[in-house]
């Protein structure tokens, strides 16, 4: 009886699992949540943003040309546009015809308008003087920068107008009789985006649409306009979701104007470029590639975005901040001047009204920019790729930060360079005895290679500063040296020190990435300034003693300089990218990542050096200095003409290995309690970690554009049917095992027992 | 219903090792079956992954076919493993040899999966496949060792001999002239009595070819042999 019960229970268990599976098939699966409908949603206290919302689309007109189709001829200084070529005389002629136009000017965005503005820029005396002093290459660069500035301003204006029209039409403002973009009055040239007019200078309801970055003062100006015109309602629409801090600021602002009923919305939408029929070429790819598409870095690639190999760059504050970062104060002033001029040309009172504001990040020092966070979000077709964030030191009192574009491009290019090339190529070597072993050939085509080689040269030069006899340290150093010539000859090179990171499995925070300077005594065959090779004329004991003095007094200073001095900022920047890339490389060994195909490919053609350079030039500069004593210190050791050069330094930089130590969760949480939140929010807006002096600028690459409506395949892990079916065989096996285990042993039975028929073997 | 009468000696008692090997083999089959089912569920994600990699919607077809092939192979291997487990438990020597072959193949496949790691695109499926591969490696190795142990060998040989002996006994029982050969009715004379039953059973590996089946005479009894009416 007991045996039958066991059999029965095992069978029942198996059947139960089977029935559960069948029941799941029969019972209809609950439908997955439908994407939220398109349209704006309220933000602020008490409002929850919808999940999985498909953005709307709005049309954006384009200028009559693309910046990359207006080319500058270095030799003739002519501007080509398709088959048309404009020399200076022709540009001047077009300028003179301007007054014959209906509005005494050409339409903003036309080729004629560009050329006349270029003419106007050229004839300004200070610009003409600067232009006269430029080389052909500098002039070409100047033209490119000027044109990009013009194009970005007009593009901003077109996008702003497109978003305003979307808001007005989809939200019914237009249908209700709101006026779009009209001046308040003849005297008041301010133009609200949408306004329901109640009098000559009065409105009852104002609407503001912000398609780009914004600051609280811009919103405040709309409140002021509402007060001024008697409006009691103000709606503000944002294309990009503000951060929580931004929302709080808006709510505080609204509280300052209790007489105005205000509402804040986010309207997710994506611009769709309408190609101007006058353009010659296809629109440039603006999907983003700071690290350059296969065709190479282009003027339209958002700098600093870790985007390559088919990935898409999501809109991010980092690319905006870098793109809008001028290279110098002069460039910033010039850009502002052009923005104001274009706004006036378009008939607006200010660039804000014209939606031409280009927000430039202030309060930071871009020279300290480093890639300090990277996250692998790629999980096999679910649409993500890489999240990343740069840290920048805060700099109080800096209204506009300069050099962000260049720094970010270097960091991003270096990241991909470190991924693409094998690690044994990450070395540079400045040794007068080895002119044929300066740098790996492929590595020598990249900016990362340039930075390493220049850092090697810079390290040798900075030693001269430390040991200069006129300095306190230098005097003491020379005093302690032994030997008649006080000679020292050694190899000194830079290697990574153990980096402190927080490796969270799929994400990496780089908390500290120090470098170390190593030295060892060696003797060269080449003759230096003193005319002897190495320290051949000096007793070995003296030379070794001198090396110890150097290691004790000078080496720590060199190492400190490498880790903190501005001259080595680029080296630290590319090294931080090296740490991030090494983590990404190792992670890609265990799973497929967005850039698995790039790793170890050896192909760095997509990330060529953005500055013309030749490793041989750096080597020649070093050899010249070595032989002529430019940075090898000369010291008069005797009266008379006897001069001895006593320091020979050579070495290199090697980034073969990246030792790292991951802090544990508890320590990370204790020492950086807000870092994770700050980095997460940096994907939306520049953020500061509470209590820290660093600003985080985040970005994201995605396998598909974020608005891609293609549904992702659902993971079966949330499917009970999957669990029932896949566990059924194992459950059945276990049930049979239990049954057999508990079954009483049967008596051994002879074969063929009870057989009555023919028997065969 | 008459009680079954055993032929020949009983087979040896099944060692625990053989039982464990058979059970583990069936367990491996169960895991392969589970892995095959899970693989079928993972196909949409792999298809999407490879389509995205190639930026081509049709690029996922190849990997889909490969995964279906893989799942089919796993299904077949699982079925074979369960069958072999049953026959191993019964002591069939051929099943033991087949198990070794299957086990070797399974170990090879599991090692290849662990080394090549082809399922990296979908994290959950990769974890499952690694787990199944490790389990396969361990369990199949144990199965191979257990089936090769001395006690297992004795069991399989013992079963084989028992089966052969039983077969011979059954054969003999089937074709041996029954002791209760029909006797001549009273009054009848036996002229040619039937031959005496064989004293020795057929030797192993050299069985005597079976004679024609015994048939009862259908016509009148022969006059020169057998029995007939008294004259």
């Amino acid at each position: 009886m007991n045996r039958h019960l066991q059999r029965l229970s095992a069978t029942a268990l198996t059947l139960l699992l089977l029935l559960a599976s069948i029941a799941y098939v029969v019972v209809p699966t609950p439908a997955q949540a439908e994407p939220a409908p398109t349209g704006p949603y309220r933000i602020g206290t008490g409002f929850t943003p919808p999940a999985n919302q498909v953005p709307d689309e709005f049309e954006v007109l384009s200028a009559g040309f693309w910046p990359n189709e207006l080319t500058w001829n270095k030799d003739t200084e002519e501007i080509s546009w398709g088959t048309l070529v404009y020399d200076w005389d022709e540009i001047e002629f077009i300028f003179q015809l301007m007054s014959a136009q209906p509005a005494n000017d050409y339409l903003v965005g036309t080729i004629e308008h560009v050329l006349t503005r270029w003419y106007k820029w050229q004839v300004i005396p200070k610009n003409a003087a600067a232009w006269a002093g430029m080389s052909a290459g500098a002039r070409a660069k100047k033209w490119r920068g000027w044109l990009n500035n013009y194009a970005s301003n007009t593009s901003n204006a077109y996008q702003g107008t497109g978003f305003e029209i979307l808001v007005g039409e989809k939200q019914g403002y237009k249908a209700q009789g709101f006026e779009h973009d009209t001046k308040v009055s003849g005297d008041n040239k301010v133009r609200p985006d949408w306004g329901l007019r109640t009098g000559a200078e009065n409105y009852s309801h104002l609407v503001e649409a912000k398609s780009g970055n914004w600051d609280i003062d811009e919103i405040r100006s709309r409140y002021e306009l509402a007060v001024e015109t008697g409006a009691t309602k103000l709606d503000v629409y944002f294309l990009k979701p503000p951060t929580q801090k931004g929302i709080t600021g808006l709510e505080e602002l609204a509280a300052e104007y209790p007489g105005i009923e205000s509402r804040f919305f986010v309207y997710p939408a994506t611009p769709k470029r309408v190609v101007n029929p006058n353009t010659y070429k296809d629109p440039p790819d603006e999907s983003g590639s700071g690290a350059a598409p296969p065709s190479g870095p282009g003027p339209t690639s958002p700098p600093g975005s870790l985007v390559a190999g088919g990935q898409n760059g999501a809109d991010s504050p980092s690319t905006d901040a870098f793109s809008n970062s001028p290279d110098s104060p002069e460039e910033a002033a010039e850009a502002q001047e052009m923005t104001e001029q274009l706004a006036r040309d378009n008939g607006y009172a200010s660039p804000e009204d014209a939606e031409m504001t280009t927000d430039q990040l202030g309060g930071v020092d871009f020279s300290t920019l480093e890639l300090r966070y990277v996250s692998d979000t790629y999980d096999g077709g679910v649409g993500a790729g890489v999240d990343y964030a740069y840290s920048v030191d805060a700099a109080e009192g800096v209204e506009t930060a300069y050099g962000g574009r260049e720094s970010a491009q270097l960091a991003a290019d270096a990241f991909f360079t470190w991924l693409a090339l094998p690690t044994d190529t990450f070395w540079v070597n400045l040794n007068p005895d080895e002119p044929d072993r300066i740098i790996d050939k492929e590595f020598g085509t990249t900016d990362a290679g340039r930075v390493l080689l220049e850092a090697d040269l810079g390290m040798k030069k900075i030693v001269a500063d430390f040991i200069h006899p006129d300095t306190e340290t230098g005097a003491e150093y020379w005093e302690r040296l032994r030997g008649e010539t006080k000679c020292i000859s050694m190899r000194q090179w830079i290697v990574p020190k153990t980096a402190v990171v927080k490796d969270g499995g799929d994400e990496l925070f780089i908390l500290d990435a120090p470098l170390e300077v190593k030295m060892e005594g060696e003797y060269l065959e080449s003759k230096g300034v003193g005319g002897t090779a190495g320290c051949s004329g000096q007793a070995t004991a003296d030379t070794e003693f001198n090396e110890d003095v150097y290691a004790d007094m000078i080496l720590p200073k060199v190492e400190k300089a490498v880790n903190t001095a501005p001259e080595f900022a680029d080296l630290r920047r590319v090294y931080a990218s090296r740490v991030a890339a090494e983590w990404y490389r190792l992670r890609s060994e265990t799973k497929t990542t967005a850039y698995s195909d790039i790793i170890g490919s050896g192909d760095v053609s997509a990330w060529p050096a953005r500055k013309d350079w030749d490793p041989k030039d750096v080597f020649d500069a070093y050899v010249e200095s070595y032989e002529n004593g430019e940075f090898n210190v000369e010291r008069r050791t005797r009266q008379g003409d006897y001069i001895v050069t006593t320091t020979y330094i050579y070495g290199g930089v090697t980034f073969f290995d990246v030792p790292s130590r991951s802090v544990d969760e508890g320590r990370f949480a204790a020492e950086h309690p807000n870092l994770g939140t700050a980095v997460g929010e940096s994907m939306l807006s520049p953020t500061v970690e509470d209590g820290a002096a660093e600003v985080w600028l985040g970005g994201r690459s995605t396998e598909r554009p974020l608005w891609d409506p293609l549904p992702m395949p659902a993971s079966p892990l949330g499917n009970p049917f999957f669990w029932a079916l896949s566990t059924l065989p194992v459950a059945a096996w276990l049930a049979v095992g239990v049954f057999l285990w508990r079954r009483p042993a049967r008596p051994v039975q002879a074969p063929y027992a009870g057989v009555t028929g023919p028997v065969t073997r | 219903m008459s009680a079954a009468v055993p032929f020949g000696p009983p087979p040896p008692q099944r060692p625990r090792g053989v039982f464990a090997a058979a059970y583990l083999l069936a367990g491996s089959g169960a895991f392969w079956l589970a892995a095959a089912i899970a693989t079928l569920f993972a196909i949409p994600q792999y298809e999407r992954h490879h389509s995205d990699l190639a930026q081509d919607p049709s690029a996922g077809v190849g990997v889909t076919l490969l995964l279906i092939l893989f799942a089919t192979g796993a299904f077949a291997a699982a079925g074979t493993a369960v069958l072999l487990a049953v026959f191993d438990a019964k002591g069939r020597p051929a099943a033991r040899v087949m198990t070794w072959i299957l086990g070797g193949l399974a170990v090879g496949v599991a090692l290849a999966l662990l080394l090549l790691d082809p399922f990296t695109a979908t994290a959950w499926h990769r974890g499952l496949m690694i787990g199944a591969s490790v389990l396969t490696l361990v369990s199949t190795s144990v199965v191979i060792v257990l089936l090769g142990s001395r006690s297992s060998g004795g069991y399989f040989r013992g079963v084989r001999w028992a089966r052969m002996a039983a077969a011979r006994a059954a054969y003999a029982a089937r074709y041996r002239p029954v002791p209760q050969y029909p006797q001549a009715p009273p009054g009848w004379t036996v002229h040619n009595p039937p031959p005496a039953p064989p004293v020795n059973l057929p030797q192993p590996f050299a069985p005597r070819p079976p004679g024609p089946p015994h048939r009862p005479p259908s016509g009148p009894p022969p006059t020169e042999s057998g029995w007939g009416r008294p004259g």
Side-chain angles (χ1 to χ4, degrees):
Chain A
M1 185 64 185
N2 189 30
R3 187 173 142 199
H4 286 302
L5 270 178
Q6 287 167 358
R7 282 185 176 174
L8 197 63
S9 59
T11 311
L13 181 65
T14 310
L15 281 176
L16 197 66
L17 286 169
L18 195 60
L19 282 175
S21 309
I22 294 169
Y24 181 79
V25 178
V26 176
V27 176
T29 312
Q32 289 193 340
E34 289 291 324
T38 60
Y41 58 84
R42 289 281 297 271
I43 53 173
T45 308
F47 297 103
T48 308
N52 196 21
Q53 187 179 26
V54 178
D56 248 329
E57 201 172 59
F58 64 98
E59 291 190 342
V60 176
L61 296 175
S62 61
F65 62 93
W66 304 113
N68 63 343
E69 65 183 20
L70 262 70
T71 56
W72 175 266
N73 189 316
K74 255 188 195 179
D75 302 323
T76 62
E77 300 199 342
E78 293 169 339
I79 297 168
S80 300
W81 184 49
T83 55
L84 303 175
V85 179
Y86 301 94
D87 59 13
W88 182 249
D89 291 340
E90 192 150 358
I91 293 171
E92 190 172 21
F93 180 66
I94 290 172
F95 172 75
Q96 287 164 355
L97 285 180
M98 186 176 69
S99 56
Q101 298 304 308
N104 285 333
D105 200 354
Y106 296 106
L107 197 61
V108 174
T110 59
I111 186 71
E112 291 81 8
H113 191 264
V114 177
L115 295 175
T116 53
R117 288 300 168 275
W118 178 241
Y119 180 86
K120 281 183 177 181
W121 184 89
Q122 287 269 356
V123 296
I124 294 173
K126 69 171 172 115
N127 294 342
W131 183 260
M134 289 181 192
S135 65
R139 287 182 175 186
K141 188 181 174 189
K142 182 72 201 173
W143 157 257
R144 178 55 56 193
W146 183 91
L147 184 64
N148 281 340
N149 199 1
Y150 181 99
S152 67
N153 278 308
T154 50
S155 177
N156 285 347
Y158 287 132
Q159 175 159 317
T161 304
F163 185 57
E164 288 166 13
I165 292 171
L166 173 79
V167 168
E169 290 183 347
K170 289 291 177 73
Q171 291 299 94
Y173 295 117
K174 187 178 179 183
Q176 293 173 49
F178 280 63
E179 292 179 5
H180 177 227
D181 214 18
T182 54
K183 293 176 185 170
V184 172
S185 66
D187 297 331
N188 188 346
K189 293 187 170 28
V190 176
R191 308 205 305 198
D193 292 341
W194 291 93
L196 189 58
R197 197 179 282 275
T198 56
E201 293 189 1
N202 296 98
Y203 296 92
S204 63
H205 191 164
L206 294 177
V207 178
E208 177 69 9
K210 306 301 291 182
S211 65
N213 293 338
W214 53 275
D215 62 37
I216 202 73
D217 287 338
E218 289 177 35
I219 310 300
R220 185 185 295 279
S221 71
R222 295 299 127 171
Y223 273 97
E224 292 295 333
L225 183 65
V227 171
E228 194 181 331
T229 59
T232 55
K233 289 183 178 176
L234 174 64
D235 294 342
V236 185
Y237 290 82
F238 300 99
L239 184 60
K240 299 174 186 173
T243 61
Q244 190 52 48
K245 195 179 281 186
I247 294 173
T248 306
L250 289 170
E251 290 181 328
E252 288 171 358
L253 180 64
E256 293 178 25
Y257 297 88
I260 298 172
E261 182 192 343
S262 49
R263 298 183 298 177
F264 304 110
F265 299 88
V266 168
Y267 197 156
T270 53
K272 179 187 173 189
R273 302 273 169 198
V274 179
V275 178
N276 190 306
N278 292 333
T279 55
Y280 278 89
K281 295 182 179 178
D282 290 334
D285 177 16
E286 293 186 354
S287 61
S289 172
S295 58
T300 57
S301 303
S305 55
L306 293 190
V307 175
Q311 287 269 301
N312 299 276
D315 281 342
S316 72
S318 63
T319 50
D320 287 347
F322 302 146
S323 299
N324 299 335
S325 165
D327 289 340
S328 64
E330 294 76 25
E331 187 187 305
E334 203 171 274
Q336 180 62 23
E337 194 179 316
M338 176 181 281
T339 305
E340 288 173 359
Q341 178 64 47
L342 286 175
R344 283 197 297 274
D345 290 352
N346 260 345
Y348 289 89
S350 68
E352 289 79 14
D353 265 358
E355 296 284 344
M356 281 185 176
T357 50
T358 302
D359 290 328
Q360 292 164 343
L361 192 62
V364 299
D365 177 6
F366 273 133
S367 72
T368 62
L369 178 143
E370 288 176 12
L371 180 63
R372 288 297 187 116
Y373 172 81
V374 62
S375 169
D376 169 34
T377 56
Y378 188 83
D379 57 358
V382 188
V386 173
D387 284 5
Y388 55 91
Y390 295 94
S391 82
V392 192
D393 284 357
E396 284 190 19
V398 176
E399 280 193 15
T400 302
Y402 307 104
R405 186 187 305 128
E406 194 176 330
S407 298
Q409 281 171 339
L410 177 61
D413 286 2
F415 177 79
F416 287 106
T417 299
W418 301 129
L419 286 183
L421 292 179
T423 54
D424 59 5
T425 62
F426 301 156
W427 57 269
V428 296
N429 175 48
L430 283 183
N431 184 335
D433 290 341
E434 298 177 313
D436 298 328
R437 210 177 68 86
I438 304 170
I439 190 170
D440 176 81
K441 188 181 172 189
E442 286 293 323
F443 192 41
T445 65
T446 67
D447 272 329
R450 174 183 60 79
V451 167
L452 260 62
L453 201 57
E454 288 179 352
D456 192 15
L457 185 63
M459 178 178 65
K460 293 167 174 62
K461 287 188 172 184
I462 206 167
V463 169
D465 295 339
F466 291 135
I467 65 175
H468 199 284
D470 292 345
T471 64
E472 190 179 336
T473 308
E476 186 187 347
Y477 168 73
W478 289 110
E479 189 63 34
R480 287 177 60 182
L481 292 184
R482 284 183 187 168
E484 187 179 359
T485 59
K486 297 193 172 184
C487 176
I488 180 169
S489 175
M490 68 191 170
R491 175 174 175 245
Q492 179 176 282
W493 72 105
I494 302 172
V495 294
K497 217 171 184 173
T498 302
V500 182
V501 301
K502 169 68 180 69
D503 186 350
D506 58 357
E507 63 178 356
L508 180 80
F509 293 90
I510 302 172
L511 304 175
D512 191 18
L515 293 164
E516 184 177 11
V517 180
K518 292 197 166 194
M519 66 163 283
E520 63 183 10
E522 282 190 21
Y523 303 94
L524 294 174
E525 294 173 1
S526 298
K527 290 182 178 179
V529 174
T532 57
C535 296
S536 54
Q538 182 173 267
T540 306
D542 287 343
T543 303
E544 288 174 357
F545 177 82
N546 291 347
E547 286 169 10
D548 290 343
V549 172
Y550 183 90
D552 182 45
M553 291 187 64
I554 306 301
L555 192 65
K557 290 181 182 296
V558 177
E559 185 169 304
K560 186 181 176 188
V562 166
N563 281 300
T564 57
E567 302 94 294
F568 296 95
D570 280 349
L571 180 70
R572 294 192 292 273
R573 188 161 17 259
V574 297
Y575 176 57
S577 295
R578 171 80 178 95
V579 177
E582 183 64 16
W583 174 83
Y584 197 80
R585 177 194 294 270
L586 292 175
R587 181 163 175 80
S588 301
E589 287 177 3
T590 58
K591 77 177 276 286
T592 302
T593 59
Y595 300 131
S596 288
D597 292 343
I598 292 174
I599 292 170
S601 65
D603 180 9
V604 287
S605 58
W607 305 281
R610 293 173 191 264
K611 288 182 179 174
D612 291 336
W613 81 291
D614 185 349
K616 192 69 171 52
D617 293 342
V618 182
F619 179 80
D620 291 343
Y622 167 65
V623 170
E624 186 183 348
S625 300
Y626 176 82
E627 290 177 351
N628 300 328
E630 181 184 340
F631 58 83
N632 291 313
V633 171
E634 298 179 5
R635 190 177 182 222
R636 192 178 296 272
T637 56
R638 290 180 186 175
Q639 293 299 317
D641 295 326
Y642 186 50
I643 297 174
V644 182
T645 299
T646 53
T647 304
Y648 311 100
I649 300 172
Y650 66 104
V653 183
T654 58
F655 283 175
F656 296 143
D657 300 314
V658 183
S660 65
R661 173 174 57 84
S662 182
V663 299
D664 59 48
E665 196 69 48
R667 187 179 157 194
F668 180 71
E671 294 181 358
H672 304 276
N674 303 310
L675 182 56
T677 308
V679 169
E681 286 206 347
S682 74
M683 305 295 156
L684 298 173
S685 174
T687 52
V688 181
E689 180 191 1
D690 289 345
E694 289 172 330
V695 177
W696 288 89
L697 298 164
R700 174 173 291 159
S701 83
T702 63
E703 190 179 1
R704 289 183 181 277
L706 292 181
W707 56 88
D708 186 352
L710 188 63
M712 300 300 166
S715 168
L717 299 183
N719 183 347
F721 189 46
F722 162 78
W723 290 107
L725 267 186
S726 57
T727 55
L728 186 62
V730 179
W733 173 64
L734 290 173
V736 169
V738 170
F739 167 72
L740 292 175
W741 185 260
R742 302 197 60 182
R743 184 181 64 169
R746 287 189 299 182
V748 177
Q749 198 174 32
Y752 313 120
V755 174
T756 55
V759 178
T760 56
R761 279 182 61 221
Chain B
M1 186 177 175
S2 61
V5 179
F7 291 115
Q13 184 77 29
R14 181 194 300 125
R16 285 172 186 269
V18 173
F19 172 78
Y23 187 63
L24 275 178
L25 184 61
S28 299
F31 279 109
W32 299 342
L33 199 57
I37 292 169
T39 300
L40 293 179
F41 274 93
I43 284 177
Q45 282 181 293
Y46 280 102
E47 186 179 12
R48 177 63 184 274
H49 169 79
H50 287 274
S51 300
D52 288 350
L53 271 188
Q55 297 289 301
D56 176 10
S58 61
V61 175
V63 76
T64 300
L65 290 176
L66 281 176
L67 286 172
I68 289 175
L69 196 66
F70 176 80
T72 308
F75 274 122
T80 309
V82 171
L83 273 179
L84 288 176
V86 170
F87 284 115
D88 281 335
K90 288 186 172 182
R92 297 293 182 92
R96 185 165 70 142
V97 175
M98 290 291 289
T99 302
W100 280 332
I101 295 171
L102 181 71
L105 286 174
V107 166
V109 171
L111 272 176
L113 289 182
L114 287 174
L115 293 176
L116 300 177
D117 202 9
F119 300 107
T120 53
T122 306
W124 69 265
H125 186 249
R126 174 175 178 263
L128 186 86
M129 297 310 291
I130 287 178
S133 299
V134 171
L135 279 172
T136 298
L137 266 182
V138 173
S139 63
T140 312
S141 303
V142 171
V143 166
I144 289 172
V145 170
L146 284 176
L147 289 183
S149 69
R150 179 170 297 191
S151 61
S152 298
Y155 170 67
F156 279 94
R157 277 193 300 275
V159 168
R160 193 171 101 188
W161 282 109
R163 285 171 53 78
M164 288 175 64
R168 286 193 295 272
Y171 178 86
R174 175 75 179 160
Y175 298 111
R176 178 171 51 197
V178 281
Q180 295 80 15
Y181 198 79
Q183 299 299 308
W188 290 68
T189 302
V190 177
H191 295 283
N192 292 313
V199 175
N200 297 321
L201 291 172
Q203 293 303 310
F205 304 114
R208 185 178 298 171
H214 176 78
R215 289 183 182 174
S218 56
T223 54
E224 296 178 1
S225 65
W227 44 269
R229 285 179 181 278

